[in-house]
Amino acid sequence: MDLSDVVAKRYSVRAFNDQPVSEAALKSILETANAAPSAGNRQAYEIVVVRDAKRRRQLAVASHEQWFVAEAPVVLIFFANPERNRERYRERGVSLYCLQDSAVACAYAQLAATALGLGTCWVGSFEDRAVSEILGAPASWQPVAILPIGQPADKPRPRERRPLSNLAHHEKAGSE
Ligand SMILES: Cc1cc2nc3c(=O)[nH]c(=O)nc-3n(C[C@H](O)[C@H](O)[C@H](O)COP(=O)(O)O)c2cc1C
């Protein structure tokens, strides 16, 4: 699959069957995330990999009962780790770059999973503290995204995007 096919194929999968995700597929997804750009190559994020069923259920509860999080055989949790940036980048690294690093890595993981025929859904609606407690994360790590990964058990539905003429501003903000 070339990149445009992968991008076109990706959609938010909110139902998974019980087919497992192989270690090889997981490794490939993590390696792709690890290849994502980051500010100063500091990679100010951490990824927690969860396969345990009980923990997946706890994460689903912490995500306001988005049960598909528990359905997926593998769940990745992307945390910003501001301490990796503090010394080099100060406030901007702590409040911005580490969140951006986490987001780019998560987006790369989504595309890698799609390329392997797997489905993902970026879950951003969750109780930060509950997620950190479930995973025993240090207080300084900020959960950014929960990414369930598995074999899709639903179908993509049409969704709209803003027209480029509205989204892309040429030369000046607000222009078309
Ligand atoms: C920052 C962010 C937070 C999101 N949070 C959730 C979420 O909590 N639950 C959910 O079902 N989808 C969530 N999504 C997925 C979006 O709803 C989805 O990407 C959007 O509707 C476009 O659909 P598509 O991914 O199928 O193209 C989130 C996506 C992003 C980028």
Side-chain angles (χ1 to χ4, degrees):
M1 245 191 282
D2 78 11
L3 180 62
S4 56
D5 292 333
V6 175
V7 169
K9 262 196 127 185
R10 189 212 57 81
Y11 69 97
S12 290
V13 173
R14 297 188 178 91
F16 298 93
N17 65 29
D18 49 17
Q19 287 279 319
V21 170
S22 71
E23 280 304 318
L26 176 61
K27 184 162 182 253
S28 163
I29 292 165
L30 292 171
E31 278 174 349
T32 301
N34 194 24
S38 65
N41 203 24
R42 296 286 304 156
Q43 297 188 276
Y45 63 93
E46 314 292 335
I47 306 172
V48 178
V49 180
V50 171
R51 284 190 183 271
D52 178 72
K54 183 172 168 212
R55 210 166 270 132
R56 286 187 279 126
R57 273 197 304 279
Q58 291 173 327
L59 289 168
V61 172
S63 308
H64 310 294
E65 307 197 348
Q66 299 193 67
W67 294 114
F68 60 87
V69 171
E71 263 176 36
V74 177
V75 181
L76 303 184
I77 302 83
F78 290 78
F79 285 88
N81 182 354
E83 294 316 310
R84 290 189 62 82
N85 276 344
R86 189 176 297 281
E87 201 175 306
R88 167 115 53 119
Y89 292 121
R90 308 284 169 192
E91 182 50 31
R92 199 167 174 80
V94 165
S95 66
L96 181 63
Y97 293 161
C98 60
L99 299 171
Q100 293 174 323
D101 290 357
S102 313
V104 181
C106 184
Y108 270 49
Q110 288 195 285
L111 294 176
T114 306
L116 293 167
L118 296 167
T120 64
C121 182
W122 182 310
V123 171
S125 175
F126 51 75
E127 295 293 332
D128 290 10
R129 188 175 299 179
V131 168
S132 292
E133 268 174 31
I134 292 161
L135 303 172
S140 60
W141 294 12
Q142 182 182 344
V144 172
I146 293 179
L147 193 69
I149 303 174
Q151 285 287 342
D154 62 6
K155 293 258 176 297
R157 63 226 169 279
R159 65 271 193 225
E160 294 205 345
R161 290 295 198 256
R162 290 163 64 189
L164 277 187
S165 58
N166 175 261
L167 179 88
H169 308 272
H170 294 276
E171 310 300 342
K172 296 269 281 184
S175 67
E176 291 190 0

